[in-house]
């Protein structure tokens, strides 16, 4: 049987992951504005880009979990 709903513990774990990813995004974004080293700044900017994408994907998954893929 294929169900499109998440169990309560799965929803909780996704919320935890989303909270963690948002914290990482805030930290990388803040630190990239403060660092002077161009390589480190580039690494942090890449992390901001990747983490933003991950947060969006998690949010889309949680929002669209009742729809068929």
């Amino acid at each position: 049987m294929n169900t499109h709903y998440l169990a309560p513990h799965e929803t909780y774990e996704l919320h935890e992951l989303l909270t963690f990813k948002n914290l990482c995004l805030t930290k990388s974004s803040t630190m990239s504005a403060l660092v002077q080293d161009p390589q480190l700044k580039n690494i942090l900017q890449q992390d901001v880009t990747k983490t933003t994408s991950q947060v969006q994907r998690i949010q889309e998954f949680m929002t669209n979990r009742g729809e068929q893929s």
Side-chain angles (χ1 to χ4, degrees), residues 20-36:
F20 175 72
K21 285 299 198 178
N22 277 316
L23 179 62
C24 291
L25 180 59
T26 301
K27 186 173 183 179
S28 292
S29 183
T30 302
M31 294 306 290
S32 69
L34 300 174
V35 298
Q36 300 298 318

Side-chain angles (χ1 to χ4, degrees), residues 27-48:
K27 186 173 183 179
S28 292
S29 183
T30 302
M31 294 306 290
S32 69
L34 300 174
V35 298
Q36 300 298 318
D37 182 66
Q39 287 180 321
L40 181 54
K41 188 182 259 322
N42 186 39
I43 290 169
L44 289 167
Q45 288 295 342
Q46 289 175 9
D47 186 58
V48 166

